Amino acid sequence: MFDFCPKTLKYNLAAVYANRKEQKKQMGRKRKHSETETAAPAKKDDSAPERPKRTLLGWKDKNEDAEESKAKAASGFRNKEKVLVTCSRRISFRYRHLMLNMVSLLPHCKKDSKVEAKSSKGATLNELVELKGSSSCLFFECRKHKDLYMWMVKSPSGPSVKFLVNAVHTMEELKLTGNHLKGSRPLLTFSSNFDKDVHWKLLKEMLTQVFGIPKEHRKSKPYHDHVFAFSIVDDHIWFRNYQISVPHNEADKVARGGLDKMTLVEVGPRFCLNPIKIFGGSFGGPTLYENPFYVSPNQIRALEKRNKAGKFAKKIKAKTRRKRHELSNPLEPDEFADMWKDDE
Amino acid sequence: MSLDDDFLEDDEMNMINEDEAASDSEAESLSDSDNEITEKLAEPTKTAVYNRDGLLDKLQDISWPEDVDWTHKLTVEIDQGPQAVDVNDDLAREMAFYTQALEGTRQAFSKLQEMGLPFLRPADYYAEMVKSDTHMEKVKSKLLYEKKQMEEAEERRKARDNKKMAKEVQSQKMKERAKQKKDEIESVKKWRKQRQQSGFSEKGGGAGELDLEFSNGKSFQRGGGGKKRPGVSPGDRSGGKGKAASRMGNKKREFRDSKFGHGGRKGLSKQNTAETTNDFKGGFRGGKAGGGNKRQKR
């Protein structure tokens, strides 16, 4: 039953296992290591050159196998994205819930404990990412208990982006009524203005890689029942997550006319990202892009305070101005002023 | 990048111009600054870094290979309309996002259907959802509550309108009745005057005229036109007057009795009834069972 190679007098177990793996992949089951598949055919060729391989489906010819392995090598791409999700220490409840929502949305992520903010956070975080063996990182930094900054970083040498996060609504809000499978792969929709400029293209690529769940991840679920919507409005990236509800009877076909009856229910969370800077390295490096319209929330608050501070001074000034004006243009005496003075 | 927005979110307001303006002119420049914001080439922003080549290099670095199957990426690009969405109009903005997502899913689904892969969840597939069941219960109860509020508001509005209508109708009826009464009295007076004038002699003619009034058939009705009072039940000792209140109290009493059992009246067990007065032998037979018929029909 096993391939007995007369030359080496050994059973060619590797060939059998490789065959079995191929068949399993064809049947669409999840597996962990398909990299060995590309290695195994090469090995097979060395040890058993003449013998046609015996597979469960019949005898497979060697030529076919070579072509198949070539095709598979080209599409042997495997998305091995792993995201590390952490936050800084003084994070408030709303942003912590947002982070937990992200963790539940991305099964290919790993949540880590809080990071001390004061130390050189770039180096610390880089080390952490290396340690966990992740390929990207989402770091939520909360400053002054009010502003949330999100770093999206590709490791080890990838670009990193710092965003200011606004308009946060978490999944726990009762107005967001949808629900979907935990870990099902989302459909990602981008608005067309992501292709208009280079930095948007880069951001689109990073978002695809971070938010798209790898295809045969062990924690991912098979069906597609939710959709992410990324749009650029007013130079901000808006994120929405909707549950897809479409009437259907079979798993691979929509009912006739069902596409028109499709409705989307919002699941959440919702947030709005304002890109601040794009760096060439991870958590640092040369600045590749700076958002010209970005004003830090500190500056906005300072400005508002300054406006309010000037209120009293402005009032005094207005009063003196009015007095001066009155002195320079005295009113004429009113002819009706003493009309009622005589009636006593 | 649209140049027409002059009303941006607070963090987008480019108030860097204001920092440079003298503090004296801040009062005037506040209103002007809104217009200045729209000019994107203010001084500080000119120094923003934009390294296009570097960005392109990085993009090449991190991109996946070109021939990757679409099922790995699952991305769809949707064209937005020619006009930009106003950020501050919440409804329009959410509609834009919704239509983008809807269009995207339609395209993606048609692609998936062509590929023949299963992508729709069967009805019997139970797995962990991203929101727990208890949370969905809360959501459902909130939705039901809101629906109930709306319905109640509707009903209240309808009842109010009906009452208004009813009031109008009633006032109409009252007016009519008053008019009729007046007319009748007038006619009686006229008849009397006529009789007076004709000298009380013609009895036959007068009687005939009088008959006219009462031939309608609806003149002499007690209670003003058919209003029927509900009859008083024989066992009711309140005289038919305090009905509604005691019935309300009765309902409460009945509910409490059914829940906590019959407490019974306070101290009627040693009072005389019709049977016990005629019972000379003492007659303490059955104790509580005998005393139970003293007006305590609960």
Side-chain angles (χ1 to χ4, degrees), chain B:
Chain B
M1 307 193 199
S2 56
L3 294 170
D4 300 325
D5 296 355
D6 55 357
F7 209 77
L8 310 171
E9 301 237 347
D10 56 349
D11 63 328
E12 272 287 274
M13 282 190 122
N14 201 346
M15 303 234 196
I16 294 177
N17 299 331
E18 284 227 276
D19 289 351
E20 301 188 332
S23 56
D24 271 345
S25 57
E26 247 176 49
E28 289 92 65
S29 72
L30 253 187
S31 52
D32 293 350
S33 69
D34 278 357
N35 303 330
E36 284 173 21
I37 286 168
T38 61
E39 297 169 24
K40 307 294 189 185
L41 297 178
E43 280 303 316
T45 62
K46 264 191 190 156
T47 63
V49 176
Y50 202 159
N51 185 353
R52 281 173 207 265
D53 298 327
L55 288 168
L56 274 172
D57 281 339
K58 282 297 171 184
L59 185 57
Q60 301 296 330
D61 281 344
I62 63 171
S63 290
W64 289 339
E66 283 297 319
D67 49 359
V68 165
D69 209 14
W70 178 77
T71 51
H72 283 274
K73 283 204 289 191
L74 289 179
T75 56
V76 187
E77 284 86 32
I78 305 297
D79 196 21
Q80 273 187 344
Q83 79 226 32
V85 182
D86 181 19
V87 188
N88 293 308
D89 183 4
D90 290 340
L91 197 58
R93 195 183 66 212
E94 297 301 321
M95 271 315 290
F97 298 152
Y98 184 89
T99 43
Q100 178 188 323
L102 199 62
E103 196 47 48
T105 25
R106 289 219 177 104
Q107 291 181 13
F109 272 17
S110 42
K111 269 196 211 169
L112 286 168
Q113 199 161 322
E114 279 167 32
M115 289 192 203
L117 298 166
F119 59 95
L120 293 164
R121 181 156 58 101
D124 53 357
Y125 184 90
Y126 292 118
E128 188 184 357
M129 307 288 269
V130 86
K131 291 188 191 174
S132 64
D133 280 344
T134 47
H135 187 266
M136 297 313 284
E137 284 288 326
K138 274 192 239 168
V139 169
K140 189 168 86 170
S141 65
K142 177 131 195 285
L143 284 175
L144 284 175
Y145 174 76
E146 278 181 9
K147 205 165 84 165
K148 201 170 73 150
Q149 295 286 81
M150 269 189 358
E151 280 175 11
E152 278 181 8
E154 269 294 318
E155 268 177 42
R156 258 183 263 138
R157 203 182 321 136
K158 265 200 220 135
R160 209 172 44 214
D161 289 339
N162 279 349
K163 223 164 102 171
K164 257 196 218 162
M165 287 293 298
K167 214 155 162 89
E168 279 177 22
V169 166
Q170 194 189 39
S171 68
Q172 282 279 333
K173 259 202 223 158
M174 294 289 290
K175 274 196 210 137
E176 259 185 44
R177 227 173 276 154
K179 195 158 121 352
Q180 229 182 28
K181 199 163 155 190
K182 214 166 69 170
D183 286 342
E184 282 170 14
I185 292 179
E186 285 289 327
S187 66
V188 165
K189 280 194 192 150
K190 238 194 332 190
W191 175 78
R192 252 206 242 139
K193 222 199 243 173
Q194 265 189 346
R195 266 203 69 163
Q196 237 181 6
Q197 283 176 356
S198 55
F200 302 103
S201 54
E202 301 144 48
K203 232 189 185 180
E209 280 194 46
L210 201 54
D211 274 334
L212 259 169
E213 305 302 321
F214 302 116
S215 64
N216 302 4
K218 67 181 182 103
S219 53
F220 194 72
Q221 279 186 37
R222 206 182 177 115
K227 181 177 169 191
K228 292 191 171 49
R229 289 231 179 82
V232 185
S233 56
D236 193 354
R237 287 198 179 178
S238 59
K241 290 249 170 94
K243 293 184 301 279
S246 75
R247 278 203 210 119
M248 263 292 285
N250 262 356
K251 267 197 275 184
K252 278 193 202 166
R253 188 70 259 164
E254 277 168 19
F255 171 70
R256 288 212 185 105
D257 276 347
S258 65
K259 201 170 174 193
F260 303 116
H262 306 288
R265 273 279 193 93
K266 260 191 178 172
L268 287 187
S269 57
K270 289 195 181 169
Q271 289 183 14
N272 268 336
T273 60
E275 283 82 10
T276 55
T277 42
N278 300 329
D279 218 351
F280 289 113
K281 291 255 173 79
F284 182 65
R285 281 163 211 153
K288 201 71 180 201
N293 61 358
K294 288 186 185 140
R295 176 63 184 114
Q296 192 64 349
K297 300 278 199 290
R298 293 199 200 262

Side-chain angles (χ1 to χ4, degrees), chain A residues 245-263:
Chain A
S245 64
V246 60
H248 63 274
N249 300 320
E250 300 123 2
D252 56 354
K253 238 191 310 195
V254 184
R256 212 173 311 172
L259 275 182
D260 298 325
K261 287 193 229 145
M262 181 161 64
T263 54

